[in-house]
């Protein structure tokens, strides 16, 4: 099965082309350029170098969120456009679950994987995963919560905790002296999103029977956008006037 997977939910963006579990090509950029400028050229390069066209793809995938509202929309719209009218599965996966697999490597004993994405206002998008022997098990749903609340939860865990994602440094720098080295950052190369991990998450869903179409693919934001929050605050203020 030939899989094309995209991730544009944060500042970096990644595209991967895989044959089942085998990685054929992967491009990741962290230039700060708009993803609408970078995603399609990376897709075209991956297909060209592997001597394929978009018509050869059997499974389209993207991270459907959470993350940057604009990035989530661009990724979903791009993969919808590529998959349009091809009658091929088009599967959206959790950005946080895809990120967690950056840490799915054999370590000594059991650890906690803690993907964190910057949600602004001293908050992060987060989920927690247990990892032992490279196996990853989800411990909670994706959520948006205050960094202080996440740190309080992590402080109760008697296991090493590894951070990844564009909000990882925010959590790490706010830890204070509560963790005594238990809270750690993954190496920089493993901090950012991976198109390959997104492809593998989508492949697992496909094997579990998920057959989402391009029209059914829906972005996941977890909370209202800044514009929606501002409008709600304005309406509430006017209502109290």
């Amino acid at each position: 099965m030939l899989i094309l997977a995209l991730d544009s939910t944060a500042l970096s963006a990644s595209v991967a082309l895989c044959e089942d579990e085998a990685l054929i090509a992967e491009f990741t950029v962290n230039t700060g350029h708009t993803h609408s400028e970078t995603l399609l050229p990376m897709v075209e390069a991956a297909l060209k170098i592997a001597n394929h066209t978009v018509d050869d793809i059997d499974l389209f995938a993207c991270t459907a969120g959470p993350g940057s509202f604009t990035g989530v929309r661009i990724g979903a719209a791009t993969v919808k456009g590529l998959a349009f009218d091809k009658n091929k599965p088009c599967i959206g996966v959790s950005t946080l679950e895809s990120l967690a697999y950056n840490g799915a490597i054999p370590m000594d004993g059991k650890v906690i994987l803690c993907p964190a994405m910057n949600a602004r206002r001293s908050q992060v998008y987060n989920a927690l995963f247990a990892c032992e022997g490279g196996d990853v098990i989800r411990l909670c749903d994706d959520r948006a919560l205050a960094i202080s609340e996440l740190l309080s939860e992590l402080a109760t865990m008697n296991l090493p905790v590894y951070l990844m994602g564009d909000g990882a440094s925010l959590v790490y720098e706010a830890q204070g002296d509560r963790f005594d080295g238990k809270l750690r950052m993954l190496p920089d190369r493993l901090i950012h999103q991976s198109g390959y991990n997104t492809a593998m998450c989508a492949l697992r869903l496909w094997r579990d029977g998920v057959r989402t179409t391009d029209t059914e693919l829906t972005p996941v934001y977890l909370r209202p956008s800044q514009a929606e929050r501002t409008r709600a605050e304005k309406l509430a203020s006017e209502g109290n006037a």
Side-chain angles (χ1 to χ4, degrees):
M1 170 174 284
L2 197 63
I3 308 166
L4 179 66
L6 320 178
D7 189 316
S8 60
T9 54
L11 289 176
S12 63
S14 185
V15 169
L17 182 67
C18 304
E19 183 72 48
D20 294 326
E21 289 88 353
L23 177 64
I24 298 173
E26 184 174 25
F27 292 86
T28 299
V29 297
N30 190 26
T31 60
H33 292 165
T34 305
H35 295 322
S36 58
E37 302 174 13
T38 58
L39 271 182
L40 281 177
M42 287 195 291
V43 168
E44 291 167 358
L47 291 171
K48 183 178 180 180
I49 203 169
N51 198 29
H52 283 293
T53 72
V54 71
D55 291 330
D56 297 328
I57 302 301
D58 300 304
L59 170 60
F60 295 86
C62 72
T63 46
S68 155
F69 283 72
T70 301
V72 169
R73 284 194 294 268
I74 289 172
T78 300
V79 82
K80 279 172 171 282
L82 292 168
F84 178 72
D85 205 29
K86 290 182 171 56
N87 196 30
K88 302 287 182 66
C90 186
I91 296 178
V93 306
S94 161
T95 308
L96 296 167
E97 184 165 346
S98 178
L99 273 168
Y101 277 89
N102 287 8
I105 53 180
M107 300 187 190
D108 292 334
K110 187 175 182 180
V111 301
I112 300 297
L113 302 177
C114 181
M117 301 186 71
N118 189 356
R120 314 298 176 188
R121 296 189 172 191
S122 298
Q123 292 186 328
V124 289
Y125 300 119
N126 167 260
L128 298 178
F129 301 81
C131 181
E132 188 169 12
D135 295 327
V136 175
I137 300 173
R138 179 183 280 273
L139 300 179
C140 66
D141 293 335
D142 292 355
R143 58 206 180 159
L145 74 171
I147 293 173
S148 58
E149 185 179 347
L150 174 59
L151 286 169
S152 294
E153 181 177 0
L154 296 178
T156 67
M157 298 182 174
N158 296 316
L159 292 169
V161 178
Y162 286 86
L163 298 163
M164 68 286 294
D166 70 346
S169 60
L170 299 176
V171 178
Y172 186 80
E173 291 165 5
Q175 67 177 294
D177 57 2
R178 286 182 286 178
F179 289 90
D180 193 27
K182 185 177 69 175
L183 188 62
R184 308 165 186 176
M185 296 273 289
L186 283 181
D188 187 67
R189 175 63 182 86
L190 299 176
I191 289 294
H192 306 291
Q193 310 100 269
S194 163
Y196 176 76
N197 286 350
T198 299
M200 294 303 98
C201 287
L203 180 59
R204 283 188 287 272
L205 289 171
W206 184 85
R207 286 173 172 169
D208 286 341
V210 175
R211 297 292 186 272
T212 316
T213 66
D214 57 299
T215 56
E216 294 169 332
L217 176 63
T218 304
V220 177
Y221 299 118
L222 288 188
R223 70 178 193 183
S225 68
Q226 179 63 47
E228 291 170 321
R229 292 197 301 270
T230 300
R231 182 174 183 273
E233 290 168 0
K234 181 180 179 181
L235 291 174
S237 176
E238 291 173 351
N240 294 328

